[in-house]
Amino acid sequence: MSDSQGEEVRGLALFATMGDVNFKALMRGTYVQNFPPRIDLIHENEPADFLHVVLSGAVDLFSQWNRRETSMATVRPVSTFILAASISDLPYLMSARTLEKSRIALIPSQDVRRMFAADTAFATAIAAELANSYRTVVKNTKDLKLRTSLERLANYLLRQSRTRGAPDFDLTTEKKRLASFLGMTPENLSRAFRALEPHGVKVEGSHITITDPQGLARYAKPNPLIDDYST
Amino acid sequence: MSDSQGEEVRGLALFATMGDVNFKALMRGTYVQNFPPRIDLIHENEPADFLHVVLSGAVDLFSQWNRRETSMATVRPVSTFILAASISDLPYLMSARTLEKSRIALIPSQDVRRMFAADTAFATAIAAELANSYRTVVKNTKDLKLRTSLERLANYLLRQSRTRGAPDFDLTTEKKRLASFLGMTPENLSRAFRALEPHGVKVEGSHITITDPQGLARYAKPNPLIDDYST
DNA sequence: ATCGATGCTTGATTATTATCAATTTCAGAT
DNA sequence: ATCTGAAATTGATAATAATCAAGCATCGAT
């Protein structure tokens, strides 16, 4: 891979602290590929041969069982996915497909494991990243088990508004996939948007305006131990 | 703590590979406490001062939001809990209470973090443990999002039967808490047991007999990427 | 500009799950 | 052995969510 692409990867917390020689060695086996939209990158149950880094575009992580499918997460630049499978040398638990045209760096898992053993700073960063991933999924589970779908949507909108720093914004994802991520059907998401209107939400296509942030927060009851992704 | 208690901890994969001197140092700040049943050990949002190791008894990890409560996991000997919070120096996401009389070792998080930096084998073991925890929660999320409560119960019973190696067994947990863990109410769990009878499940109090393992499996459609906790 | 495919919305219906209320069962304390 | 309180069960009802069936909107390709 080129040096400029290497810089993008190097900027990630996961790779920022490791030794220069080690990073270069890791990049030697790495290659970058361009993918069109809606391309399957990996399929659950396959061996985790590569750690993936999304450099541009967006990737959906999803799972299937018994002809049902659910969206687990969306990965946006610049971040990695399936580190846990990669480091444990175990099969992927989730599938991944591009949502848009995307540039992905593929780092051989073997190299990641070798470097983990060789570079203490890298090992520390990996543990931090794994701990963070773990906590994110735990928060997600709490969201699913403790809230109704309407409450999940309300809190999702508050989170979006907060991370964008504005009371109005465009949804970054199709409503269909948002529904799946929130654990509901597209039909119910549509009705849920309607049901949030009296709580201060206006929907015009994919543009959302939170007309009454306090009112919405009163209904949603956001909680840092579920909704704060930074801790 | 005493040497015999130290041995129990040392037997855990997390502590098995680290250097002897380092392990002894880690145990120096560790103390063991006995707790009666139904005692709150930690509360979510508190600082994670200690890594906990369940030596005997059983501990329930649970969470609350808006007057609702859900059981997230049961920790049985010998294993640790809340490693992620401990290593990241972040507040607990879950509360913990003893289910029975329990013996718990408390290892200061500071010492864990210091040893993580000092002992490569320990760092590796921590990363492996975190990766494993992450994958367990992901499987749990897939269970919740892709299956109905009846299907979750059916698969739970198959997992229990498999880990015990017998078609009949006693439930290790109160039905009330099992219901909460599976994301349903006690009333519905009761009805779900009844509904599984035609699929080959017999319930006598807390004793379960799977009278038709193939039939139950046909209904439950177990999948290693959800139900196999060993990978 | 038109077509076709897909996503989105709406209404009607069904399925699933929770809540409320009333017993019954069970285990621990006296 | 009896009492007591919590857990478990059962039935009735309500809330929540999924499914089925149209119809409308949007967008890219021709």
Side-chain angles (χ1 to χ4, degrees):
Chain A
M1 73 182 306
S2 78
D3 281 1
S4 69
Q5 287 165 338
E7 301 256 313
E8 294 178 86
V9 177
R10 185 64 153 164
L12 279 173
L14 190 57
F15 302 101
T17 54
M18 70 192 302
D20 225 34
V21 174
N22 288 333
F23 180 72
K24 288 224 173 75
L26 198 56
M27 288 305 102
R28 209 158 297 137
T30 298
Y31 64 101
V32 174
Q33 240 184 306
N34 279 295
F35 296 95
R38 298 179 183 270
I39 288 292
D40 281 3
L41 297 172
I42 60 174
H43 193 270
E44 52 184 78
N45 212 18
E46 283 170 0
D49 295 329
F50 297 96
L51 174 62
H52 294 237
V53 184
V54 183
L55 298 175
S56 72
V59 171
D60 185 41
L61 300 185
F62 64 99
S63 269
Q64 292 169 308
W65 178 81
N66 193 27
R67 303 177 172 259
R68 290 168 222 169
E69 178 177 319
T70 190
S71 173
M72 302 285 287
T74 303
V75 186
R76 296 189 176 279
V78 181
S79 50
T80 64
F81 58 93
I82 33 183
L83 176 59
S86 197
I87 203 79
S88 316
D89 199 10
L90 287 172
Y92 298 125
L93 291 181
M94 297 180 274
S95 304
R97 71 165 74 96
T98 57
L99 293 170
E100 327 160 357
K101 191 166 172 306
S102 301
R103 239 167 68 254
I104 315 269
L106 301 159
I107 311 176
S109 297
Q110 271 195 321
D111 296 348
V112 174
R113 288 193 293 274
R114 185 159 354 103
M115 221 43 96
F116 174 84
D119 191 306
T120 311
F122 187 45
T124 307
I126 282 180
E129 175 82 11
L130 287 171
N132 184 54
S133 301
Y134 170 77
R135 288 172 65 91
T136 301
V137 190
V138 167
K139 287 169 193 164
N140 196 237
T141 304
K142 291 169 67 173
D143 193 38
L144 282 169
K145 290 184 79 176
L146 291 167
R147 290 170 171 167
T148 65
S149 61
L150 201 55
E151 290 164 343
R152 288 198 295 277
L153 176 59
N155 279 293
Y156 175 85
L157 296 178
L158 286 174
R159 289 197 303 266
Q160 284 294 311
S161 169
R162 192 162 60 94
T163 55
R164 317 288 197 80
D168 74 308
F169 53 89
D170 281 319
L171 294 175
T172 51
T173 161
E174 282 184 306
K175 288 184 181 172
K176 190 186 170 186
R177 202 193 350 288
L178 175 58
S180 178
F181 173 71
L182 292 174
M184 57 204 293
T185 57
E187 291 96 327
N188 269 335
L189 177 62
S190 192
R191 286 184 267 261
F193 272 123
R194 197 94 319 134
L196 285 182
E197 273 174 13
H199 297 289
V201 175
K202 200 167 86 187
V203 183
E204 290 153 310
S206 65
H207 191 76
I208 310 295
T209 309
I210 298 182
T211 56
D212 179 6
Q214 271 113 41
L216 186 59
R218 215 162 26 245
Y219 175 77
K221 295 181 174 54
N223 182 308
L225 298 182
I226 302 179
D227 301 296
D228 194 341
Y229 280 23
S230 65
T231 56
Chain B
M1 74 182 302
S2 79
D3 282 1
S4 69
Q5 286 164 339
E7 302 254 313
E8 295 177 85
V9 177
R10 185 65 152 162
L12 279 174
L14 190 58
F15 302 102
T17 54
M18 70 191 303
D20 225 35
V21 173
N22 288 333
F23 181 71
K24 288 223 172 74
L26 197 58
M27 288 303 102
R28 211 159 295 139
T30 298
Y31 63 101
V32 174
Q33 238 183 308
N34 279 295
F35 296 95
R38 298 175 184 273
I39 289 292
D40 281 3
L41 298 173
I42 60 175
H43 193 269
E44 52 183 81
N45 212 17
E46 284 170 0
D49 295 329
F50 297 96
L51 173 63
H52 294 238
V53 184
V54 183
L55 298 174
S56 72
V59 170
D60 185 41
L61 300 184
F62 65 99
S63 269
Q64 292 169 309
W65 178 81
N66 193 28
R67 300 174 176 262
R68 290 167 223 172
E69 177 178 319
T70 189
S71 173
M72 301 286 286
T74 303
V75 186
R76 295 187 175 281
V78 180
S79 48
T80 64
F81 58 92
I82 31 183
L83 176 59
S86 196
I87 203 78
S88 318
D89 199 11
L90 287 171
Y92 298 125
L93 291 180
M94 299 180 274
S95 304
R97 74 166 70 95
T98 56
L99 294 170
E100 329 160 355
K101 189 167 174 305
S102 300
R103 241 168 66 253
I104 317 267
L106 301 159
I107 311 177
S109 297
Q110 272 196 319
D111 296 347
V112 174
R113 288 193 293 275
R114 186 161 351 106
M115 223 39 99
F116 173 84
D119 191 305
T120 311
F122 188 45
T124 307
I126 282 181
E129 176 82 11
L130 287 171
N132 185 54
S133 300
Y134 170 76
R135 289 171 64 91
T136 300
V137 191
V138 167
K139 286 169 193 165
N140 195 236
T141 304
K142 290 169 67 172
D143 193 38
L144 282 168
K145 290 184 79 177
L146 291 167
R147 290 172 171 164
T148 66
S149 61
L150 200 56
E151 290 165 343
R152 289 198 294 277
L153 176 60
N155 279 293
Y156 176 85
L157 296 177
L158 286 174
R159 288 198 301 267
Q160 285 294 311
S161 169
R162 193 162 58 95
T163 55
R164 318 289 195 79
D168 73 309
F169 54 88
D170 281 319
L171 294 174
T172 51
T173 161
E174 282 184 306
K175 287 182 182 175
K176 191 185 170 186
R177 231 152 28 64
L178 175 58
S180 178
F181 172 71
L182 293 175
M184 57 204 291
T185 58
E187 291 95 325
N188 270 334
L189 177 62
S190 192
R191 286 184 266 262
F193 271 124
R194 198 94 321 133
L196 285 182
E197 274 175 12
H199 296 290
V201 175
K202 202 166 85 187
V203 184
E204 292 151 311
S206 67
H207 191 78
I208 309 295
T209 309
I210 298 180
T211 56
D212 180 7
Q214 270 113 40
L216 186 59
R218 216 161 27 244
Y219 175 78
K221 295 183 176 52
N223 181 308
L225 297 182
I226 303 179
D227 302 295
D228 194 340
Y229 280 22
S230 64
T231 55

PDB file of all heavy atoms in Angstrom, chain A residues 174-176 187 190-191 194, chain C residues 6-12:
ATOM      1  N   GLU A 174     -30.244   4.435   5.260  1.00  0.00           N
ATOM      2  CA  GLU A 174     -31.595   4.120   4.788  1.00  0.00           C
ATOM      3  C   GLU A 174     -32.501   3.791   5.961  1.00  0.00           C
ATOM      4  O   GLU A 174     -32.076   3.129   6.909  1.00  0.00           O
ATOM      5  CB  GLU A 174     -31.557   2.854   3.942  1.00  0.00           C
ATOM      6  CG  GLU A 174     -31.065   2.955   2.553  1.00  0.00           C
ATOM      7  CD  GLU A 174     -31.223   1.595   1.883  1.00  0.00           C
ATOM      8  OE1 GLU A 174     -30.720   0.598   2.436  1.00  0.00           O
ATOM      9  OE2 GLU A 174     -31.865   1.534   0.840  1.00  0.00           O
ATOM     10  N   LYS A 175     -33.753   4.159   5.862  1.00  0.00           N
ATOM     11  CA  LYS A 175     -34.692   3.839   6.937  1.00  0.00           C
ATOM     12  C   LYS A 175     -34.858   2.332   7.119  1.00  0.00           C
ATOM     13  O   LYS A 175     -35.029   1.844   8.229  1.00  0.00           O
ATOM     14  CB  LYS A 175     -36.050   4.488   6.645  1.00  0.00           C
ATOM     15  CG  LYS A 175     -36.021   5.997   6.821  1.00  0.00           C
ATOM     16  CD  LYS A 175     -37.385   6.623   6.631  1.00  0.00           C
ATOM     17  CE  LYS A 175     -37.283   8.144   6.801  1.00  0.00           C
ATOM     18  NZ  LYS A 175     -38.547   8.823   6.440  1.00  0.00           N
ATOM     19  N   LYS A 176     -34.793   1.632   6.009  1.00  0.00           N
ATOM     20  CA  LYS A 176     -34.906   0.168   6.063  1.00  0.00           C
ATOM     21  C   LYS A 176     -33.845  -0.426   6.989  1.00  0.00           C
ATOM     22  O   LYS A 176     -34.123  -1.262   7.852  1.00  0.00           O
ATOM     23  CB  LYS A 176     -34.725  -0.360   4.635  1.00  0.00           C
ATOM     24  CG  LYS A 176     -35.034  -1.809   4.413  1.00  0.00           C
ATOM     25  CD  LYS A 176     -34.639  -2.166   2.982  1.00  0.00           C
ATOM     26  CE  LYS A 176     -34.694  -3.666   2.751  1.00  0.00           C
ATOM     27  NZ  LYS A 176     -34.166  -4.014   1.413  1.00  0.00           N
ATOM     28  N   GLU A 187     -42.009  -0.941   8.388  1.00  0.00           N
ATOM     29  CA  GLU A 187     -43.364  -0.434   8.611  1.00  0.00           C
ATOM     30  C   GLU A 187     -43.488   0.207   9.986  1.00  0.00           C
ATOM     31  O   GLU A 187     -44.057   1.290  10.130  1.00  0.00           O
ATOM     32  CB  GLU A 187     -44.393  -1.572   8.504  1.00  0.00           C
ATOM     33  CG  GLU A 187     -44.584  -2.149   7.106  1.00  0.00           C
ATOM     34  CD  GLU A 187     -43.740  -3.373   6.901  1.00  0.00           C
ATOM     35  OE1 GLU A 187     -42.630  -3.416   7.477  1.00  0.00           O
ATOM     36  OE2 GLU A 187     -44.163  -4.283   6.174  1.00  0.00           O
ATOM     37  N   SER A 190     -41.674   3.559  10.327  1.00  0.00           N
ATOM     38  CA  SER A 190     -42.468   4.628   9.730  1.00  0.00           C
ATOM     39  C   SER A 190     -43.531   5.116  10.716  1.00  0.00           C
ATOM     40  O   SER A 190     -43.692   6.317  10.940  1.00  0.00           O
ATOM     41  CB  SER A 190     -43.126   4.091   8.460  1.00  0.00           C
ATOM     42  OG  SER A 190     -43.675   5.132   7.704  1.00  0.00           O
ATOM     43  N   ARG A 191     -44.222   4.194  11.342  1.00  0.00           N
ATOM     44  CA  ARG A 191     -45.240   4.565  12.330  1.00  0.00           C
ATOM     45  C   ARG A 191     -44.611   5.180  13.581  1.00  0.00           C
ATOM     46  O   ARG A 191     -45.186   6.071  14.207  1.00  0.00           O
ATOM     47  CB  ARG A 191     -46.074   3.327  12.701  1.00  0.00           C
ATOM     48  CG  ARG A 191     -47.044   2.924  11.612  1.00  0.00           C
ATOM     49  CD  ARG A 191     -47.925   1.764  12.053  1.00  0.00           C
ATOM     50  NE  ARG A 191     -47.362   0.492  11.662  1.00  0.00           N
ATOM     51  CZ  ARG A 191     -47.751  -0.197  10.588  1.00  0.00           C
ATOM     52  NH1 ARG A 191     -48.715   0.253   9.814  1.00  0.00           N
ATOM     53  NH2 ARG A 191     -47.193  -1.352  10.281  1.00  0.00           N
ATOM     54  N   ARG A 194     -43.957   8.787  13.120  1.00  0.00           N
ATOM     55  CA  ARG A 194     -45.224   9.515  13.278  1.00  0.00           C
ATOM     56  C   ARG A 194     -45.545   9.677  14.760  1.00  0.00           C
ATOM     57  O   ARG A 194     -45.956  10.747  15.204  1.00  0.00           O
ATOM     58  CB  ARG A 194     -46.317   8.702  12.565  1.00  0.00           C
ATOM     59  CG  ARG A 194     -47.559   9.425  12.260  1.00  0.00           C
ATOM     60  CD  ARG A 194     -47.593  10.033  10.838  1.00  0.00           C
ATOM     61  NE  ARG A 194     -46.332  10.628  10.417  1.00  0.00           N
ATOM     62  CZ  ARG A 194     -45.740  10.452   9.236  1.00  0.00           C
ATOM     63  NH1 ARG A 194     -46.310   9.651   8.355  1.00  0.00           N
ATOM     64  NH2 ARG A 194     -44.623  11.066   8.941  1.00  0.00           N
TER      65      ARG A 194
ATOM     66  P    DT C   6     -35.266  -4.580  -7.361  1.00  0.00           P
ATOM     67  OP1  DT C   6     -33.986  -5.317  -7.323  1.00  0.00           O
ATOM     68  OP2  DT C   6     -36.570  -5.292  -7.297  1.00  0.00           O
ATOM     69  O5'  DT C   6     -35.244  -3.504  -6.198  1.00  0.00           O
ATOM     70  C5'  DT C   6     -34.314  -2.419  -6.265  1.00  0.00           C
ATOM     71  C4'  DT C   6     -34.782  -1.354  -5.314  1.00  0.00           C
ATOM     72  O4'  DT C   6     -35.956  -0.688  -5.853  1.00  0.00           O
ATOM     73  C3'  DT C   6     -35.194  -1.891  -3.938  1.00  0.00           C
ATOM     74  O3'  DT C   6     -34.354  -1.292  -2.970  1.00  0.00           O
ATOM     75  C2'  DT C   6     -36.663  -1.493  -3.800  1.00  0.00           C
ATOM     76  C1'  DT C   6     -36.782  -0.333  -4.772  1.00  0.00           C
ATOM     77  N1   DT C   6     -38.146  -0.080  -5.305  1.00  0.00           N
ATOM     78  C2   DT C   6     -38.629   1.211  -5.274  1.00  0.00           C
ATOM     79  O2   DT C   6     -37.998   2.150  -4.808  1.00  0.00           O
ATOM     80  N3   DT C   6     -39.898   1.369  -5.798  1.00  0.00           N
ATOM     81  C4   DT C   6     -40.699   0.378  -6.349  1.00  0.00           C
ATOM     82  O4   DT C   6     -41.805   0.639  -6.789  1.00  0.00           O
ATOM     83  C5   DT C   6     -40.121  -0.953  -6.356  1.00  0.00           C
ATOM     84  C7   DT C   6     -40.913  -2.093  -6.920  1.00  0.00           C
ATOM     85  C6   DT C   6     -38.898  -1.117  -5.846  1.00  0.00           C
ATOM     86  P    DG C   7     -34.481  -1.649  -1.392  1.00  0.00           P
ATOM     87  OP1  DG C   7     -33.109  -1.752  -0.849  1.00  0.00           O
ATOM     88  OP2  DG C   7     -35.447  -2.747  -1.226  1.00  0.00           O
ATOM     89  O5'  DG C   7     -35.140  -0.308  -0.833  1.00  0.00           O
ATOM     90  C5'  DG C   7     -34.547   0.944  -1.161  1.00  0.00           C
ATOM     91  C4'  DG C   7     -35.504   2.031  -0.764  1.00  0.00           C
ATOM     92  O4'  DG C   7     -36.693   1.950  -1.582  1.00  0.00           O
ATOM     93  C3'  DG C   7     -35.974   1.967   0.682  1.00  0.00           C
ATOM     94  O3'  DG C   7     -35.867   3.259   1.226  1.00  0.00           O
ATOM     95  C2'  DG C   7     -37.414   1.480   0.577  1.00  0.00           C
ATOM     96  C1'  DG C   7     -37.840   2.059  -0.762  1.00  0.00           C
ATOM     97  N9   DG C   7     -38.930   1.368  -1.444  1.00  0.00           N
ATOM     98  C8   DG C   7     -38.989   0.048  -1.803  1.00  0.00           C
ATOM     99  N7   DG C   7     -40.091  -0.274  -2.426  1.00  0.00           N
ATOM    100  C5   DG C   7     -40.819   0.908  -2.475  1.00  0.00           C
ATOM    101  C6   DG C   7     -42.095   1.187  -3.028  1.00  0.00           C
ATOM    102  O6   DG C   7     -42.861   0.414  -3.602  1.00  0.00           O
ATOM    103  N1   DG C   7     -42.460   2.520  -2.849  1.00  0.00           N
ATOM    104  C2   DG C   7     -41.669   3.467  -2.225  1.00  0.00           C
ATOM    105  N2   DG C   7     -42.177   4.692  -2.144  1.00  0.00           N
ATOM    106  N3   DG C   7     -40.469   3.229  -1.711  1.00  0.00           N
ATOM    107  C4   DG C   7     -40.117   1.931  -1.869  1.00  0.00           C
ATOM    108  P    DC C   8     -36.081   3.519   2.800  1.00  0.00           P
ATOM    109  OP1  DC C   8     -35.193   4.616   3.180  1.00  0.00           O
ATOM    110  OP2  DC C   8     -36.034   2.218   3.504  1.00  0.00           O
ATOM    111  O5'  DC C   8     -37.575   4.048   2.868  1.00  0.00           O
ATOM    112  C5'  DC C   8     -37.894   5.288   2.230  1.00  0.00           C
ATOM    113  C4'  DC C   8     -39.380   5.479   2.261  1.00  0.00           C
ATOM    114  O4'  DC C   8     -39.998   4.451   1.461  1.00  0.00           O
ATOM    115  C3'  DC C   8     -40.011   5.352   3.645  1.00  0.00           C
ATOM    116  O3'  DC C   8     -40.493   6.635   3.996  1.00  0.00           O
ATOM    117  C2'  DC C   8     -41.124   4.305   3.480  1.00  0.00           C
ATOM    118  C1'  DC C   8     -41.288   4.232   1.964  1.00  0.00           C
ATOM    119  N1   DC C   8     -41.775   2.931   1.410  1.00  0.00           N
ATOM    120  C2   DC C   8     -43.001   2.886   0.734  1.00  0.00           C
ATOM    121  O2   DC C   8     -43.662   3.932   0.628  1.00  0.00           O
ATOM    122  N3   DC C   8     -43.435   1.717   0.213  1.00  0.00           N
ATOM    123  C4   DC C   8     -42.695   0.612   0.341  1.00  0.00           C
ATOM    124  N4   DC C   8     -43.159  -0.512  -0.198  1.00  0.00           N
ATOM    125  C5   DC C   8     -41.434   0.628   1.026  1.00  0.00           C
ATOM    126  C6   DC C   8     -41.022   1.810   1.542  1.00  0.00           C
ATOM    127  P    DT C   9     -41.216   6.869   5.419  1.00  0.00           P
ATOM    128  OP1  DT C   9     -41.142   8.304   5.728  1.00  0.00           O
ATOM    129  OP2  DT C   9     -40.734   5.851   6.365  1.00  0.00           O
ATOM    130  O5'  DT C   9     -42.717   6.539   5.062  1.00  0.00           O
ATOM    131  C5'  DT C   9     -43.419   7.389   4.153  1.00  0.00           C
ATOM    132  C4'  DT C   9     -44.821   6.839   3.921  1.00  0.00           C
ATOM    133  O4'  DT C   9     -44.733   5.521   3.356  1.00  0.00           O
ATOM    134  C3'  DT C   9     -45.666   6.708   5.179  1.00  0.00           C
ATOM    135  O3'  DT C   9     -46.775   7.580   5.036  1.00  0.00           O
ATOM    136  C2'  DT C   9     -46.086   5.235   5.217  1.00  0.00           C
ATOM    137  C1'  DT C   9     -45.858   4.790   3.787  1.00  0.00           C
ATOM    138  N1   DT C   9     -45.522   3.350   3.568  1.00  0.00           N
ATOM    139  C2   DT C   9     -46.363   2.592   2.807  1.00  0.00           C
ATOM    140  O2   DT C   9     -47.390   3.016   2.311  1.00  0.00           O
ATOM    141  N3   DT C   9     -45.959   1.281   2.639  1.00  0.00           N
ATOM    142  C4   DT C   9     -44.821   0.690   3.149  1.00  0.00           C
ATOM    143  O4   DT C   9     -44.556  -0.493   2.933  1.00  0.00           O
ATOM    144  C5   DT C   9     -43.978   1.549   3.947  1.00  0.00           C
ATOM    145  C7   DT C   9     -42.712   1.009   4.551  1.00  0.00           C
ATOM    146  C6   DT C   9     -44.361   2.825   4.120  1.00  0.00           C
ATOM    147  P    DT C  10     -47.674   7.965   6.277  1.00  0.00           P
ATOM    148  OP1  DT C  10     -48.149   9.337   6.049  1.00  0.00           O
ATOM    149  OP2  DT C  10     -46.964   7.609   7.512  1.00  0.00           O
ATOM    150  O5'  DT C  10     -48.902   6.973   6.126  1.00  0.00           O
ATOM    151  C5'  DT C  10     -49.697   6.996   4.940  1.00  0.00           C
ATOM    152  C4'  DT C  10     -50.634   5.809   4.929  1.00  0.00           C
ATOM    153  O4'  DT C  10     -49.898   4.618   4.605  1.00  0.00           O
ATOM    154  C3'  DT C  10     -51.339   5.523   6.248  1.00  0.00           C
ATOM    155  O3'  DT C  10     -52.719   5.780   6.082  1.00  0.00           O
ATOM    156  C2'  DT C  10     -51.047   4.053   6.554  1.00  0.00           C
ATOM    157  C1'  DT C  10     -50.548   3.531   5.213  1.00  0.00           C
ATOM    158  N1   DT C  10     -49.549   2.431   5.266  1.00  0.00           N
ATOM    159  C2   DT C  10     -49.738   1.330   4.484  1.00  0.00           C
ATOM    160  O2   DT C  10     -50.692   1.191   3.749  1.00  0.00           O
ATOM    161  N3   DT C  10     -48.758   0.373   4.578  1.00  0.00           N
ATOM    162  C4   DT C  10     -47.628   0.426   5.387  1.00  0.00           C
ATOM    163  O4   DT C  10     -46.822  -0.481   5.394  1.00  0.00           O
ATOM    164  C5   DT C  10     -47.490   1.613   6.192  1.00  0.00           C
ATOM    165  C7   DT C  10     -46.313   1.762   7.102  1.00  0.00           C
ATOM    166  C6   DT C  10     -48.443   2.545   6.103  1.00  0.00           C
ATOM    167  P    DG C  11     -53.727   5.695   7.289  1.00  0.00           P
ATOM    168  OP1  DG C  11     -54.798   6.677   7.065  1.00  0.00           O
ATOM    169  OP2  DG C  11     -52.981   5.682   8.568  1.00  0.00           O
ATOM    170  O5'  DG C  11     -54.328   4.237   7.052  1.00  0.00           O
ATOM    171  C5'  DG C  11     -54.891   3.904   5.788  1.00  0.00           C
ATOM    172  C4'  DG C  11     -55.341   2.457   5.781  1.00  0.00           C
ATOM    173  O4'  DG C  11     -54.177   1.596   5.655  1.00  0.00           O
ATOM    174  C3'  DG C  11     -56.054   2.009   7.069  1.00  0.00           C
ATOM    175  O3'  DG C  11     -57.231   1.306   6.693  1.00  0.00           O
ATOM    176  C2'  DG C  11     -55.042   1.098   7.757  1.00  0.00           C
ATOM    177  C1'  DG C  11     -54.282   0.530   6.571  1.00  0.00           C
ATOM    178  N9   DG C  11     -52.933   0.059   6.860  1.00  0.00           N
ATOM    179  C8   DG C  11     -51.962   0.714   7.576  1.00  0.00           C
ATOM    180  N7   DG C  11     -50.836   0.044   7.666  1.00  0.00           N
ATOM    181  C5   DG C  11     -51.092  -1.122   6.966  1.00  0.00           C
ATOM    182  C6   DG C  11     -50.242  -2.242   6.713  1.00  0.00           C
ATOM    183  O6   DG C  11     -49.084  -2.418   7.066  1.00  0.00           O
ATOM    184  N1   DG C  11     -50.902  -3.225   5.966  1.00  0.00           N
ATOM    185  C2   DG C  11     -52.193  -3.133   5.510  1.00  0.00           C
ATOM    186  N2   DG C  11     -52.648  -4.164   4.809  1.00  0.00           N
ATOM    187  N3   DG C  11     -52.987  -2.101   5.733  1.00  0.00           N
ATOM    188  C4   DG C  11     -52.368  -1.134   6.462  1.00  0.00           C
ATOM    189  P    DA C  12     -58.256   0.737   7.757  1.00  0.00           P
ATOM    190  OP1  DA C  12     -59.616   0.925   7.212  1.00  0.00           O
ATOM    191  OP2  DA C  12     -57.905   1.236   9.093  1.00  0.00           O
ATOM    192  O5'  DA C  12     -57.935  -0.830   7.717  1.00  0.00           O
ATOM    193  C5'  DA C  12     -57.998  -1.529   6.476  1.00  0.00           C
ATOM    194  C4'  DA C  12     -57.668  -2.989   6.724  1.00  0.00           C
ATOM    195  O4'  DA C  12     -56.237  -3.128   6.939  1.00  0.00           O
ATOM    196  C3'  DA C  12     -58.353  -3.592   7.956  1.00  0.00           C
ATOM    197  O3'  DA C  12     -58.879  -4.865   7.608  1.00  0.00           O
ATOM    198  C2'  DA C  12     -57.232  -3.666   8.982  1.00  0.00           C
ATOM    199  C1'  DA C  12     -56.012  -3.904   8.105  1.00  0.00           C
ATOM    200  N9   DA C  12     -54.753  -3.455   8.698  1.00  0.00           N
ATOM    201  C8   DA C  12     -54.520  -2.286   9.386  1.00  0.00           C
ATOM    202  N7   DA C  12     -53.279  -2.153   9.793  1.00  0.00           N
ATOM    203  C5   DA C  12     -52.654  -3.307   9.337  1.00  0.00           C
ATOM    204  C6   DA C  12     -51.327  -3.763   9.453  1.00  0.00           C
ATOM    205  N6   DA C  12     -50.369  -3.100  10.059  1.00  0.00           N
ATOM    206  N1   DA C  12     -51.039  -4.956   8.885  1.00  0.00           N
ATOM    207  C2   DA C  12     -52.015  -5.630   8.260  1.00  0.00           C
ATOM    208  N3   DA C  12     -53.294  -5.301   8.098  1.00  0.00           N
ATOM    209  C4   DA C  12     -53.547  -4.115   8.664  1.00  0.00           C
TER     210       DA C  12
END
